[in-house]
Amino acid sequence: MATPGAGHEASHPSPAKYAAIAVILSVITAVEVWVVYVEALAGVLLPILAVLSITKFALVGMFYMHLKFDSRLFSAMFVGGIVLTVGIIIALMGLFQVFVD
Amino acid sequence: MAAAEAHSAHPQTTTGLDHRKLLMWAFLGSDCLFFGSLIATYLLYRGKGLVGPHPADVFNIPFTSVSAFVLLMSSLTMVLALAAIQRGDQRGLKIWLLATALLGSVFLGGQYFEFTVFIHEGLTLQSNLFGSTFFTLTGFHGLHVTVGVIILMSFYVMALRNRVTPEQHLNIELAGLYWHFVDIVWIVIFTVVYLVEAPNIV
């Protein structure tokens, strides 16, 4: 059996990199709030918000939760939960006929 | 050297991974399902309410955006606390743990203020479908944040007594994982619940 090292496969980012990611997250949040008030983007608002939200989610998961650097088993457990969650949401919405006009 | 000693203190595992961290990730994966069910319920009943107040009547997007920013910045301070203990910086650990707990408390204060305003405007848990699903979803998220603040303050008190050593950095990392999870859940709620309603607010 192996000796556990908490799952670290590579060194974590430096505090400066953490701060840089926080700046990116802040900018994305500002863009999110800005786009909802732009009437010209009303038709494509949902895809834009989805992309921005998923980007923030991924940045926090990869760098702050260290999934990019840790064992892939941790990623599998978390992403597995997310996939199940999205599946349940879609199934429930289908059951309630949300996708039917 | 210290890290090697710390590792030797752990029981050997079949995966080579610390089982506490594995358990935390299993918990977070299952908590996704919990929040997913609440978000699904909110989406299913969105726009189905026959009586007000409706989201557009009560939401204050600029205020909630500031709250979202505060929680986002608490993720930065949390990861800086972990970086501090990993390099043996006790002072940094105390500062960043306290900063994270304070930012979390500011977020909770904002949520309390928001709930109070909503209730004053006639939106309660029982008033309509929106009230029931909104308060259940955001209330459970607030409960998670509250638990996180209690955990952080517990570690802060331990750090004040010099009872958090660099060899125990995994404890701080586990608390951090929970805290970041609370943050990413809010990233989803902020978009799905608040921002999509913004164009309807005059």
Side-chain angles (χ1 to χ4, degrees):
Chain A
M1 289 191 287
T3 303
H8 301 289
E9 291 186 341
S11 60
H12 290 172
S14 64
K17 192 163 187 180
Y18 287 137
I21 290 161
V23 171
I24 295 169
L25 290 169
S26 303
V27 170
I28 295 174
T29 304
V31 172
E32 278 182 322
V33 177
W34 174 70
V35 295
V36 297
Y37 292 109
V38 180
E39 288 185 21
L41 296 173
V44 288
L45 184 61
L46 288 181
I48 291 173
L49 287 178
V51 168
L52 293 173
S53 182
I54 290 168
T55 305
K56 284 167 67 179
F57 192 106
L59 283 172
V60 173
M62 285 195 304
F63 293 98
Y64 287 176
M65 299 174 91
H66 303 128
L67 283 177
K68 185 175 164 62
F69 313 100
D70 279 357
S71 167
R72 287 188 178 180
L73 185 57
F74 299 144
S75 299
M77 295 180 83
F78 191 51
V79 174
I82 293 169
V83 169
L84 272 173
T85 302
V86 172
I88 287 169
I89 290 174
I90 292 171
L92 274 172
M93 294 180 88
L95 277 172
F96 279 71
Q97 300 187 324
V98 172
F99 305 117
V100 178
D101 286 330
Chain B
M1 181 66 183
E5 287 171 2
H7 289 170
S8 64
H10 289 298
Q12 291 189 330
T13 65
T14 49
T15 58
L17 306 171
D18 192 291
H19 282 174
R20 289 175 297 166
K21 196 168 176 180
L22 207 54
L23 183 65
M24 175 55 82
W25 277 111
F27 165 70
L28 297 182
S30 65
D31 221 18
C32 282
L33 295 169
F34 175 74
F35 277 107
S37 63
L38 295 180
I39 290 169
T41 308
Y42 177 85
L43 291 175
L44 288 175
Y45 290 120
R46 182 173 173 262
K48 298 280 196 317
L50 300 176
V51 294
H54 301 289
D57 301 327
V58 293
F59 279 174
N60 182 341
I61 300 299
F63 178 82
T64 313
S65 302
V66 173
S67 289
F69 176 75
V70 166
L71 200 59
L72 210 52
M73 289 305 101
S74 75
S75 262
L76 171 64
T77 54
M78 183 68 239
V79 84
L80 290 176
L82 175 62
I85 189 63
Q86 282 176 331
R87 62 174 185 270
D89 177 4
Q90 289 287 340
R91 184 170 172 271
L93 172 70
K94 291 168 197 164
I95 289 171
W96 295 122
L97 274 180
L98 185 62
T100 310
L102 285 175
L103 288 169
S105 301
V106 169
F107 175 85
L108 286 172
Q111 193 171 43
Y112 176 79
F113 173 77
E114 184 186 50
F115 281 12
T116 305
V117 170
F118 288 3
I119 290 168
H120 183 71
E121 294 185 13
L123 184 73
T124 66
L125 197 62
Q126 297 91 5
S127 60
N128 57 19
L129 280 173
F130 166 57
S132 300
T133 53
F134 172 81
F135 281 119
T136 304
L137 172 58
T138 56
F140 269 111
H141 178 267
L143 187 64
H144 276 68
V145 177
T146 305
V147 170
V149 169
I150 292 169
I151 292 170
L152 291 171
M153 286 309 295
S154 302
F155 276 119
Y156 176 68
V157 171
M158 287 174 68
L160 284 178
R161 297 176 180 178
N162 292 319
R163 287 175 58 190
V164 182
T165 64
E167 290 75 28
Q168 296 170 321
H169 69 83
L170 183 63
N171 294 334
I172 302 297
E173 186 170 2
L174 295 180
L177 287 176
Y178 175 82
W179 191 258
H180 298 310
F181 175 76
V182 166
D183 182 26
I184 58 175
V185 169
W186 189 254
I187 287 173
V188 177
I189 292 175
F190 179 56
T191 302
V192 170
V193 175
Y194 290 90
L195 289 180
V196 295
E197 296 291 348
N200 302 322
I201 301 172
V202 181

